[in-house]
Amino acid sequence: MKGLYILLAAIFFTSCQHQSKEDINKAKQASIDSMKVEINKQRVIDSMKTEMAKIKEEQQVESQKVESQKVVVVHQPANGNATTTTTTTKKKGWSATAKGAVIGAGVGAATGAIVSKKKGEGAIIGGLAGAALGTGTGAVIDSKNKKE
């Protein structure tokens, strides 16, 4: 009988130690998963920064093109008294609101697909939320540009 009690006690202690190892492994896996999520978030942020830098660069190149494409025409009549100046400029591109909506939708969809367990549903929800935030941000930028 004593042997049975000793055997049960040994099994109990062994199972408790095994359970703590499982808990430690679960905690390790949870921290690894959270680190992966943070890394993915940082990738999205970095890609947004890269895209914003590209957009700024394109805008600068576009504004330089517009400045170089201005044409000045001077008409001098026979008497030489009157001059007329005509300036043509290139049509502007997208508004900041439209750009913000498109960029926000893309980044939101990517983030939603990465973070969510249901990839399609997460992409749709993230895309809609990103488009809404991007539109709001673009509208603020447009209003600031109009003031300047």
Side-chain angles (χ1 to χ4, degrees):
M1 192 64 147
K2 284 184 181 180
L4 183 61
Y5 287 133
I6 292 173
L7 181 64
L8 288 175
I11 292 172
F12 177 74
F13 286 124
T14 306
S15 67
C16 288
Q17 289 177 353
H18 181 69
Q19 183 66 26
S20 66
K21 288 180 184 178
E22 286 180 9
D23 291 341
I24 290 171
N25 288 338
K26 286 181 182 179
K28 284 180 183 178
Q29 188 62 39
S31 67
I32 289 170
D33 291 342
S34 67
M35 287 172 41
K36 286 181 181 179
V37 168
E38 289 299 319
I39 289 170
N40 287 335
K41 285 181 184 177
Q42 190 61 41
R43 283 184 187 154
V44 170
I45 291 170
D46 291 343
S47 68
M48 282 196 59
K49 287 180 180 177
T50 303
E51 287 299 317
M52 292 304 292
K54 286 180 184 178
I55 290 171
K56 274 188 177 180
E57 185 177 314
E58 288 173 0
Q59 287 174 347
Q60 288 176 349
V61 169
E62 194 172 297
S63 67
Q64 289 174 354
K65 285 182 181 178
V66 168
E67 288 176 9
S68 66
Q69 289 181 352
K70 288 184 180 178
V71 177
V72 177
V73 178
V74 178
H75 297 283
Q76 293 183 345
N79 60 7
N81 292 337
T83 59
T84 306
T85 305
T86 306
T87 306
T88 59
T89 58
K90 187 177 179 183
K91 187 177 177 183
K92 287 188 176 182
W94 286 21
S95 68
T97 304
K99 287 180 187 176
V102 171
I103 292 170
V107 172
T111 304
I114 291 169
V115 173
S116 178
K117 290 181 181 177
K118 296 180 180 178
K119 302 300 180 194
E121 185 177 305
I124 291 170
I125 293 171
L128 291 174
L133 289 173
T135 302
T137 305
V140 169
I141 293 171
D142 276 341
S143 67
K144 283 184 181 179
N145 288 341
K146 285 182 182 178
K147 288 179 183 178
E148 293 175 359

